[in-house]
Amino acid sequence: MVNLNKVASTATALIVQLGWTDLSDSGCKQIQHQFSAGTNSQAWRAEAVKEAYVKLWDAYDRFAYPNDTLLPRDQTGMNDLFGWGASIVDGLDTAIVMNLTGIVSEQLKHIATVDFTYGLLGAFDAIIRYVGGLLSAYDLLTSGLVSNGTYNEIHVAALLKQADVLSKKLKPTFNTPSGVPATFVNFTTNELENAIFTVNGTDHRSRVTAEAGTIMLEWHRLSDLIGDNSYRELADKAESILIHPVPPPRYPGLVGSHVDTDTGNYLSFDSGWQSGVDSFYEYLIKSHIYDPSADTATAYKDFWLTTVDSTIDHIALHPYGFDSLTFLSQLNETGDLIWQMDDYACFAGGNLILGGKYLGREDIVQLGLAVTDSCHQTFNTTTSGLNPIQFAWYNKENKCSNPSYDQDPTLRAFAKENGYFILNGIWAGFPEPVESLAYAYRVTGDGIWQDYAWEIFQTIQKDANRSKDVPFGDLEDVRKPLGGELVDYVPSYYFAETLKYLYMIFSPPDLLSFDEWVFNTEGHPLRIQKGTCATGK
């Protein structure tokens, strides 16, 4: 259990010195710090991020367009996300925000021609990358951010139409006995294909919890835009099963990573904020913020608060000898602590800051700042200056869940110096730590978080920019100089999330204000409907 009176000194100092807007239940809510007009923009840093986007897009355009993914070493493209142009759709709203009109026009023209009705689809990526990206771009282009007539109106209208076309094809995934959606659907036959999770020798048709619970934002927004409530109803039906867990988890709210699509029961107890569970928690509070008047909004908020309170009591922990660090431990399949965390869980810092500020829970904000600062420390302590995908630490008794780690002198030495040790050193353009820095900066107003983000961006440019032709790629191992070998892959989320959040941190804070926009798990902003002072509702 973390002692919230002893979290990272940086986070504590910020809470003490910064004033908090009254967030009582009466009246509207304000999430962002009240920045003075015309302050806190760092235009030259924002311009450097924009230039990085343009250079990488130019490489994609030359070598990979219109395929899903750029392979930087081979200077070619591949279709690993259904062949619809994932990097185009994922990167569109970032280009809109950066006012890259030529690139946006090209992206819009492509999207209007895509046939979203074929293939064997993994519904999760189809929802968060494609539906989320289409709706976000539509919201941005119809919000007044861009002057009317800047882009082809037919292409703009096609964004919403295509989101509806694709979502209709995804509806059959919900045709399961429980209503928890299946993992795959064949668009030609509408037949489902299920992932299998084995428990004690018995196979179960299953869905990863994070995937089943990461639909609400996109389909709530789509229902509101087109006036078809069927999308909202399907998403809420699945979510209602997830927030009434059977069997009960080890700790309230901390549910496992797999759900049986026949019964709706959870199949494991391996909880935490890591990959497999992460965005399920993320969407609970964000769906509430999107429209707190919705019938389901209070139930989602309450389950999120239950999860957060259990997090504070059970899995927010300090490594041995490092009370200045606060990590969120994973639980194993039987619900026991294993003192490990992955990069994906670093999003939790931002989610805690957002939810805590919205609900007036300063203790939650404080925890979020501590987690954000601790994830940032995993950059500062590697040879490359970038963070690993998975790390662990020794508990308050100076022990690990894996006995082999206890006896490893290399791990011991690294942990003695840094408070943690690396289990997997891959770096893949991760957005989660930068995402949390964006929330930390926009909510506190403290420029230290901008400086942290700039350090990270400079390191990315140093380590991952290996070629004049292709200025980015994933990296093999952050424990090696420059991160080791360049991996032949550029994830579409680098366009969608990492570069967008960096750009936001250095741009005027009213650009994509968290009081006006709620972001899906792929970094796609959707317009908040009610509840914040900025919405006036």
Side-chain angles (χ1 to χ4, degrees):
M1 174 181 175
V2 67
N3 181 344
L4 289 177
N5 294 318
K6 295 176 65 179
V7 293
S9 58
T10 299
T12 305
L14 286 168
I15 295 297
V16 171
Q17 65 182 291
L18 294 167
W20 292 92
T21 302
D22 180 10
L23 294 180
S24 62
D25 286 337
S26 60
C28 63
K29 309 278 188 175
Q30 179 157 336
I31 297 168
Q32 289 203 165
H33 176 78
Q34 292 183 336
F35 294 93
S36 299
T39 65
N40 290 75
S41 174
Q42 298 179 341
W44 62 279
R45 288 178 170 179
E47 187 63 27
V49 177
K50 180 191 290 190
E51 289 176 4
Y53 182 105
V54 171
K55 288 180 181 179
L56 187 57
W57 173 263
D58 286 347
Y60 167 81
D61 204 23
R62 277 187 291 155
F63 302 126
Y65 186 94
N67 295 301
D68 291 329
T69 303
L70 170 63
L71 305 182
R73 288 192 317 201
D74 289 348
Q75 296 188 351
T76 188
M78 68 179 292
N79 285 321
D80 57 332
L81 288 164
F82 325 130
W84 297 328
S87 293
I88 298 170
V89 180
D90 240 358
L92 171 58
D93 56 6
T94 304
I96 292 170
V97 170
M98 291 179 173
N99 198 30
L100 300 171
T101 55
I103 292 174
V104 172
S105 294
E106 181 183 3
Q107 293 168 329
L108 289 172
K109 183 178 180 180
H110 167 80
I111 290 168
T113 67
V114 173
D115 179 1
F116 284 106
T117 65
Y118 70 91
L120 175 66
L121 271 295
F124 179 65
D125 284 306
I127 289 281
I128 67 169
R129 297 181 197 244
Y130 287 103
V131 176
L134 293 168
L135 293 175
S136 174
Y138 182 80
D139 262 355
L140 288 168
L141 292 175
T142 58
S143 69
L145 179 69
V146 176
S147 300
N148 290 336
T150 303
Y151 300 109
N152 184 306
E153 293 182 4
I154 295 174
H155 292 166
V156 173
L159 295 168
L160 184 58
K161 179 181 178 181
Q162 293 283 51
D164 186 26
V165 167
L166 175 53
S167 294
K168 277 188 172 69
K169 296 298 290 185
L170 292 170
K171 277 186 174 181
T173 61
F174 290 83
N175 294 336
T176 65
S178 68
V180 174
T183 302
F184 302 101
V185 59
N186 187 315
F187 274 11
T188 302
T189 65
N190 289 333
E191 293 179 352
L192 305 183
E193 290 196 19
N194 292 279
I196 300 297
F197 189 80
T198 304
V199 181
N200 297 325
T202 301
D203 290 342
H204 298 262
R205 288 186 284 266
S206 69
R207 187 76 188 270
V208 172
T209 304
E211 296 181 356
T214 308
I215 304 168
M216 299 179 301
L217 277 177
E218 294 84 358
W219 276 14
H220 285 187
R221 186 65 184 135
L222 180 59
S223 284
D224 288 343
L225 284 169
I226 67 174
D228 180 354
N229 213 41
S230 64
Y231 294 114
R232 179 187 295 273
E233 291 168 355
L234 286 171
D236 286 341
K237 179 181 179 181
E239 197 73 10
S240 70
I241 296 168
L242 299 179
I243 64 173
H244 294 92
V246 179
R250 180 76 169 269
Y251 305 114
L254 290 172
V255 298
S257 66
H258 286 80
V259 181
D260 189 313
T261 57
D262 290 331
T263 65
N265 293 348
Y266 282 89
L267 295 170
S268 63
F269 295 93
D270 53 334
S271 193
W273 292 72
Q274 72 276 6
S275 175
V277 193
D278 47 2
S279 51
F280 164 59
Y281 297 140
E282 177 185 2
Y283 273 34
L284 291 169
I285 190 62
K286 287 185 173 181
S287 293
H288 178 83
I289 292 171
Y290 170 75
D291 185 356
S293 69
D295 292 341
T296 54
T298 298
Y300 295 160
K301 175 202 68 177
D302 290 347
F303 195 87
W304 184 83
L305 282 170
T306 297
T307 300
V308 172
D309 287 337
S310 286
T311 297
I312 293 170
D313 290 342
H314 301 292
I315 67 171
L317 304 171
H318 304 306
Y320 179 78
F322 282 80
D323 286 353
S324 62
L325 295 177
T326 302
F327 294 135
L328 304 181
S329 178
Q330 299 173 204
L331 306 177
N332 65 16
E333 289 189 359
T334 58
D336 296 319
L337 288 166
I338 57 174
W339 304 290
Q340 294 181 17
M341 185 171 170
D342 63 17
D343 164 85
Y344 303 100
C346 286
F347 94 92
N351 194 245
L352 293 164
I353 293 167
L354 172 67
K357 183 66 186 290
Y358 188 86
L359 299 175
R361 284 280 302 268
E362 293 182 20
D363 59 329
I364 297 176
V365 177
Q366 191 173 5
L367 175 60
L369 291 168
V371 172
T372 300
D373 189 50
S374 300
C375 284
H376 167 251
Q377 293 302 319
T378 65
F379 287 81
N380 293 345
T381 47
T382 66
T383 301
S384 66
L386 295 172
N387 69 316
I389 193 171
Q390 190 173 28
F391 58 92
W393 60 92
Y394 297 101
N395 65 14
K396 61 182 179 180
E397 283 83 31
N398 202 18
K399 299 289 185 181
C400 266
S401 59
N402 187 330
S404 66
Y405 301 156
D406 286 332
Q407 308 303 321
D408 190 311
T410 302
L411 300 183
R412 281 283 180 187
F414 192 92
K416 184 177 181 180
E417 181 176 355
N418 301 303
Y420 74 99
F421 56 90
I422 297 171
L423 298 178
N424 187 331
I426 289 174
W427 183 81
F430 300 133
E432 291 82 12
V434 175
E435 172 187 352
S436 289
L437 290 177
Y439 284 98
Y441 164 59
R442 289 283 188 92
V443 169
T444 68
D446 194 294
I448 189 68
W449 305 106
Q450 291 177 300
D451 293 338
Y452 290 167
W454 182 245
E455 291 171 2
I456 290 171
F457 176 70
Q458 288 182 303
T459 303
I460 293 171
Q461 293 299 94
K462 172 177 65 73
D463 290 356
N465 187 351
R466 304 288 182 86
S467 153
K468 176 183 176 182
D469 290 324
V470 181
F472 178 82
D474 291 350
L475 299 172
E476 169 206 7
D477 194 336
V478 298
R479 291 167 288 197
K480 297 179 180 180
L482 299 179
E485 293 295 321
L486 193 75
V487 177
D488 200 20
Y489 197 82
V490 176
S492 69
Y493 60 71
Y494 189 72
F495 289 107
E497 298 182 77
T498 311
L499 291 174
K500 182 186 289 105
Y501 285 121
L502 285 166
Y503 187 74
M504 287 173 58
I505 290 170
F506 306 129
S507 296
D510 59 349
L511 178 69
L512 298 183
S513 168
F514 292 134
D515 290 295
E516 299 178 35
W517 301 87
V518 62
F519 287 66
N520 90 334
T521 197
E522 192 76 2
H524 296 307
L526 303 169
R527 297 181 75 177
I528 293 174
Q529 298 306 290
K530 295 179 181 178
T532 64
C533 299
T535 65
K537 300 177 183 178

